[in-house]
Amino acid sequence: MKLKKDLVISNIFRIVSYFIFTIVLMIFVLTIGNGISYFSFDFFTKAPMDGMTAGGILPAILGSLSVLALSLLFSIPIGMFTGIYLAEYGGRSAMAQLIMTAITSLAGVPSVVFGLFGLSLFCITFGFRTSLIAGSLTLSIMTLPVIASTVNEALKAIPRTVRESAYALGAKKTEVIFKVLIPYARSRILTAILIGGGRVIGETAPILLTGAIFFSTALPNSIMDPVMTLPSHIYYISMAYGENAQWMAKGTSAFLMIFVLIIYGIAFKVRRKMNER
Amino acid sequence: MSDKNRPIIEVKNFYGYYGEKAGLKDVNFNFLSKKITAIIGPSGCGKSTLLRSINRMNDEIPVYHTEGDILYEGKNVYDSDVDLTVMRKKVGMVFQKPTPFPMSIYDNVAFGPRIHGLRNKQKIEEIVENSLKQASLWDEVKDELFKSAYSLSGGQQQRLCIARALAVDPEVILLDEPTSALDPIATQNIEVLLEELSENYTIIIVTHNLAQAVRISDYMLFMYRGELIESGATSAIVKQPENKLTEQYLNGKIG
Amino acid sequence: MPIREIKHRMNSVAITAIAFTGIIVLILLFSFIIQEAVPAISEVGTKLFTGRYWYPTYEDDPEFGLLPMIVGSLEVTGLTCLFVLPLGYLLAFFLFEYARPTEKRIIKSAIDLLSGVPSVVIGAFMLIYVSPLMFKFEIYSPENLLLAAIGLTILSLPYTASLMEESLSSVDKSLKEGALALGTTRFTAGFRVVSKAAISGILNAVILTVNRVIGETMVVLMVAGGAAIFPESLFDPVRTLTASIASEMGEVAQHSTHYSALFAAGLILLVFSFILTILAGWISKKNRHV
């Protein structure tokens, strides 16, 4: 009789889980399926024209890639050094606890609040105005906690004896860290960077406030120019343009989704390979 | 002065504390040059603590502090002007679990010389080949030097770690239970290797494998609860242990 | 001093100095948000947080009451959690206890991939495919509270489910085996024993989910309807703090009261998330022994 209870419950749970799976699958299929039909050579090489009823999304693609590259340029080194400090230098000191708390708190702050911060610090106080650099700096602050905490945990997970073998050969602390420990943890760190990158490319709210513009014709000339990005483009079209422009939103959604799925797919593959080692 | 029977590491009135607790109590012993000395005893007796105090590996443990001296070639390793990175070239260590670095076999062995400043490619190649030969690994890996070190078996990885330690040209090699993670054949290989190496290097090995200690060592230290109970030539101790505890341990009654 | 030692010291200094960036950023974050919010607080007073009307663009007599948005945020978050917490737990439980290896792998991959989908894409999806369904059922506002909750549920489900599944998995196997050895059903073992042992992790997942949902912007911005009223039914449009900031910031005059009031909205969100984060940290510290 007890077995029957398990059977019933497990099947209910199974059905619900399958249902969720189907919905998720449906979202992927509908978004990509319907959007892909709008892919064309023009779609990827031209700027939008005729009030979003024709043309392509090239400026948005370039804008997103620029934001991605620039923000990783800042967040990777700072995040890594912070993680290294926490794992190898801080120990249990008050300073390390403080930094750890700061990192965890930052990780929980809503993205739109980062947007406000970026607006007041970079756009206004530093005078960058709505620009690529302001948006990238804001997003790099958002990604910093993820990278820092992953590096911290990855380093802490390395077996003690590996560390000691390096010291036993007469290496100094920084040599041990950069020549042995970081390479040892490189898969995990790479996964964190990929996932961080995936987030950067998809975040909309902060970039709306600090870097995005709804229309531009070409690659940003300098980092002080505002940019079109894929997510902000989807937003503007969905909210401000009519039926005739919706095709572009669908196409952009599909492209963005495929891009993100590929990044995450690679990240999980790397993680799986690492777990097997 | 003859090279043999020269004390190379002298432990004098040495105490090691983990916080309040004494891991080592008043240890006195002279390790002789180019001999194999085994440190034996039941779990928790302090044998690893003693070994790790010699190359100050226990510095990594914040609560560990010491009293007394450990002299290497007449100089106290705990002196404040001792450069650890230089000392550890001379006193190397191999651990229980093989720990290859995430790089090729070649780069693993070359790691030590490189960080100590060697740039000459020719010289590095010589050292790598020489060390792998001394560690009895050269023939097995010479065609695959640039494969990842993880592709080697457990026993091979441990010999790689020995080669790595040899590459920085030490005088003393400390080994902390080097074969307890290996199968019997790999263990035998390492034991033969250590006997060969003792021609040129001083070997100090911690082991919980009594038979192993008897097989390969010239001298033995028996430790119990942080104290050095008995020490001396292996053959003498085995034949006629002076201390009751030693006798009990040798007969498997404690440990 | 040899170069090697110089390099080592420089690197160590750099590492320590850069690690401080985290603290500096947090401090700057608070100070800038507070600084920009202060003008509105001093001009409007407590009515900023208790006023029921939000008409910032009226020229003659603008009103800056954030209460409708505060209530909106709370209602959206509450409704979403009502959906996503049980679903997340159920999914986590299924993956932990009942799923066969292939099932587990496939479903987990799908959920993990979902976690990467940007919120704007989910918002667009809801807008394009689900919102029209509202018309079919003759609901007057195709963008409403319910729609937002559904979208947010989809968005946070992967997060919640994976956090909960991790806490269940991290419980020592011997606990589950001990229960099974006593003859319990798998459900009882999982629900009454393992879940209890993992309670701090599960609680942590709940708090982090709430934090995540209340901070979400795009989905609500696109499908919640944007009316700054107090929603009385599931089908009323609603506006949250996050959506107001994102949609109105583009059109405010710098340093106007409106501008400052939006920063005040941001301040509310910042303080709330900070409290939740500290709470989560405190709970996991208390239960370290598990």
Side-chain angles (χ1 to χ4, degrees), chain A residues 159-172 175-176 179-180 183-186 277, chain B residues 52 55 57 60 83 85 88-89 91-93 95 99 101-103 111 115-116 150 164-165 168:
Chain A
R160 199 172 47 119
T161 45
V162 173
R163 206 176 255 114
E164 291 178 345
S165 297
Y167 279 118
L169 289 166
K172 295 191 191 288
E175 290 167 345
V176 175
K179 296 190 189 209
V180 179
Y184 195 97
R186 61 176 176 253
R277 198 232 276 170
Chain B
R52 292 164 61 96
N55 72 343
M57 196 48 77
E60 298 299 305
D83 184 348
T85 57
R88 285 172 179 165
K89 274 175 73 174
V91 181
M93 184 175 258
F95 298 80
T99 56
F101 296 153
M103 26 182 109
F111 181 81
I115 49 158
H116 285 289
Y150 293 113
R164 193 171 64 190
V168 291

Side-chain angles (χ1 to χ4, degrees), chain B residues 2 87 91 107 161:
Chain B
S2 144
M87 187 264 278
V91 181
D107 287 330
C161 292

